[in-house]
Amino acid sequence: CLLCALWHVSLSDLFQLDYCCSPRSLKSVENRTNYIFIRGDVCNPRLLNHIFSSKNIDVIFHLAAKTHVEASFESPSTFQQVNIEGTRVLLGAAHQARHQPQRFIYISTDEVYGASLHEVFDESSPVRPSNPYAATKAAAEYLVRSYWDQYKFPIIITRSNNIYGPRQYTEKVIPRFLTLLQMDKKCTIQGTLPKSRHFLFVSDAINAFLLLLEKGIVGEIYNVGTSCEIPIMQLARELVRMVKKVPESEVNDWLEFVPDRPRVDLRYPIKCEKLQQLGWRAEVSWTEGIRQTVKWYRDNPDFWSDISEDQPPIRREFENAATTVVPISSES
C-alpha cells in the first residue's frame, strides 16, 4: 500500500510493504535529500496522527489499497479494512492536522461504474460496482466526498483505467502473462468470454495525477482513461509472440483456459474529456508502452522472486507510532 505525502519540497512514501510492494521500486529516489520513506499501515491512526502532527503536509496522494479483484471475492473483509477503514483513518488524520493540506487526491478506479458493453461512462454516470474490490473503492469515494460536502476539505477523486508498466506486481494480467512465459509456462486465460481492458501506461497516469494537482478543481471527479482497448485473448497472443518468438501456428500452444472468477465484467469504457480540457493526453502508445514493459521484465526476471530480504526498517522517529496497536475511534 502506498501513500504519498508532500510537505513543502519534501516527498514521503508510507508503505505497509504488503506482498505486492517492493522497496526495490524506490531505489531511484531513496538517496534524495528531499525524500523520506516511512514503513507503516494506513489503518494505524496513531502513526498517521503522528506524521501529520510532526510534518507540515501540503498534499496527499492516496493510493493505498488492495486491488486484486479475484482476491476480493476470497477475502472481502480485508479489502473493507484497508480500502474503506484506511481511507477513513487517513481522512480523519489529514483533516485534524494543525497544518491543513491544500489537496487530498484519492486514486479510485473505473470499476466503480460496473461493466458496460455499449455505454461509455463519464464522471456523472451512476456508480454500480459489481465485485467486492470495486464496492470498497466506491464506498471510500463516498467517504472522501463527505469531507468535501461537510468540511470543504480540498479533495479530488480520479477514476483510472488499468495502469501497466515496469515493476508492476505479477498478479496483474500483463506481468502475470510475462512471468508465466519467462518460466516456459502457458498464459492462463480465465474463462472464454470476450473480455477486454483499457490499458494506460504508468507515466501517462502519473502525468494526469500531477496535472490534477496543479489544475484540478477541488470537489470534482476526473476519469483518467485511454482509447487503447485490448481483448485479453489478443493481449496473450501478442505477448507470446514478443516473448517466445514462435511462428503464428504455434501461438495457441502457449495459451491455456482456466475457470473464471465468480463475476466477470467484460469491459469498463470511460470517457475523459473533463481531464483533457485541462490539457492532458495519453502520450505513450500501446506499441511503445508494451515494448518498454516486456523489455523491463526480460531484463529483471528476479525482481519479484524474493522481496522478503529487502524490507527496510521502520524509521526510528515513527517506530513507536507505527508498531503500537490502539483502538480506532470515530472522528467527532
Side-chain angles (χ1 to χ4, degrees), residues 227-295:
S227 60
C228 177
E229 183 175 9
I230 307 293
I232 299 303
M233 176 69 75
Q234 177 184 324
L235 169 66
R237 294 175 62 87
E238 184 171 349
L239 294 179
V240 168
R241 288 191 289 266
M242 294 179 73
V243 175
K244 306 310 293 184
K245 302 187 184 306
V246 296
E248 191 66 28
S249 59
E250 298 179 15
V251 168
N252 287 343
D253 296 339
W254 290 93
L255 308 180
E256 178 183 359
F257 292 95
V258 298
D260 217 330
R261 59 194 183 208
R263 168 67 188 243
V264 180
D265 291 338
L266 298 185
R267 57 195 297 265
Y268 303 106
I270 61 174
K271 59 180 69 173
C272 53
E273 283 88 347
K274 188 174 177 180
L275 175 61
Q276 291 173 345
Q277 288 173 3
L278 300 181
W280 179 85
R281 295 290 187 279
E283 297 180 354
V284 180
S285 67
W286 168 254
T287 300
E288 176 58 20
I290 199 64
R291 184 196 67 79
Q292 291 185 32
T293 303
V294 170
K295 181 180 186 303

Side-chain angles (χ1 to χ4, degrees), residues 59-317:
V59 177
I60 300 113
F61 285 91
H62 177 23
L63 302 92
K66 285 189 173 292
T67 64
H68 190 38
V69 173
E70 189 171 355
S72 75
F73 285 101
E74 299 168 357
S75 182
S77 61
T78 304
F79 281 68
Q80 293 164 15
Q81 174 67 17
V82 175
N83 297 356
I84 302 175
E85 183 64 9
T87 298
R88 187 194 68 80
V89 172
L90 177 57
L91 281 165
H95 179 247
Q96 295 177 38
R98 57 177 176 77
H99 178 86
Q100 280 293 287
Q102 299 170 15
R103 290 291 184 275
F104 184 106
I105 300 178
Y106 178 64
I107 311 302
S108 189
T109 171
D110 57 1
E111 294 195 34
V112 299
Y113 294 118
S116 173
L117 289 179
H118 305 295
E119 180 185 3
V120 180
F121 301 119
D122 63 20
E123 291 84 355
S124 64
S125 298
V127 172
R128 296 176 179 143
S130 57
N131 61 67
Y133 157 64
T136 62
K137 295 295 283 185
E141 281 192 19
Y142 282 116
L143 280 173
V144 174
R145 284 283 306 177
S146 73
Y147 271 71
W148 167 251
D149 294 336
Q150 184 68 27
Y151 308 112
K152 296 306 174 187
F153 190 63
I155 64 95
I156 292 174
I157 295 172
T158 72
R159 294 170 178 165
S160 308
N161 282 150
N162 285 44
I163 298 172
Y164 76 102
R167 300 179 182 84
Q168 191 172 34
Y169 186 63
T170 55
E171 70 184 3
K172 301 301 183 181
V173 63
I174 291 176
R176 178 165 64 87
F177 284 169
L178 290 174
T179 301
L180 287 169
L181 292 170
Q182 288 174 341
M183 297 169 62
D184 287 329
K185 296 181 179 180
K186 297 181 180 182
C187 294
T188 53
I189 300 172
Q190 294 178 322
T192 57
L193 294 174
K195 296 185 291 292
S196 64
R197 292 294 181 265
H198 292 76
F199 290 101
L200 180 67
F201 194 65
V202 59
S203 62
D204 284 326
I206 293 170
N207 288 337
F209 300 154
L210 293 177
L211 179 65
L212 288 172
L213 172 60
E214 179 185 359
K215 296 183 178 181
I217 300 173
V218 295
E220 292 292 319
I221 299 170
Y222 293 87
N223 287 344
V224 182
T226 172
S227 60
C228 177
E229 183 175 9
I230 307 293
I232 299 303
M233 176 69 75
Q234 177 184 324
L235 169 66
R237 294 175 62 87
E238 184 171 349
L239 294 179
V240 168
R241 288 191 289 266
M242 294 179 73
V243 175
K244 306 310 293 184
K245 302 187 184 306
V246 296
E248 191 66 28
S249 59
E250 298 179 15
V251 168
N252 287 343
D253 296 339
W254 290 93
L255 308 180
E256 178 183 359
F257 292 95
V258 298
D260 217 330
R261 59 194 183 208
R263 168 67 188 243
V264 180
D265 291 338
L266 298 185
R267 57 195 297 265
Y268 303 106
I270 61 174
K271 59 180 69 173
C272 53
E273 283 88 347
K274 188 174 177 180
L275 175 61
Q276 291 173 345
Q277 288 173 3
L278 300 181
W280 179 85
R281 295 290 187 279
E283 297 180 354
V284 180
S285 67
W286 168 254
T287 300
E288 176 58 20
I290 199 64
R291 184 196 67 79
Q292 291 185 32
T293 303
V294 170
K295 181 180 186 303
W296 186 89
Y297 282 91
R298 181 187 298 128
D299 295 343
N300 299 273
D302 300 322
F303 185 85
W304 289 109
S305 60
D306 182 12
I307 63 172
S308 59
E309 298 177 358
D310 292 332
Q311 307 297 299
I314 299 173
R315 284 178 58 88
R316 183 171 299 277
E317 65 178 300

Side-chain angles (χ1 to χ4, degrees), residues 4-13 32-36 55-59:
C4 290
L6 303 172
W7 51 79
H8 300 305
V9 294
S10 296
L11 170 65
S12 174
D13 284 344
R32 296 187 182 182
T33 57
N34 65 341
Y35 172 78
I36 297 175
K55 303 294 183 181
N56 293 330
I57 296 176
D58 297 316
V59 177

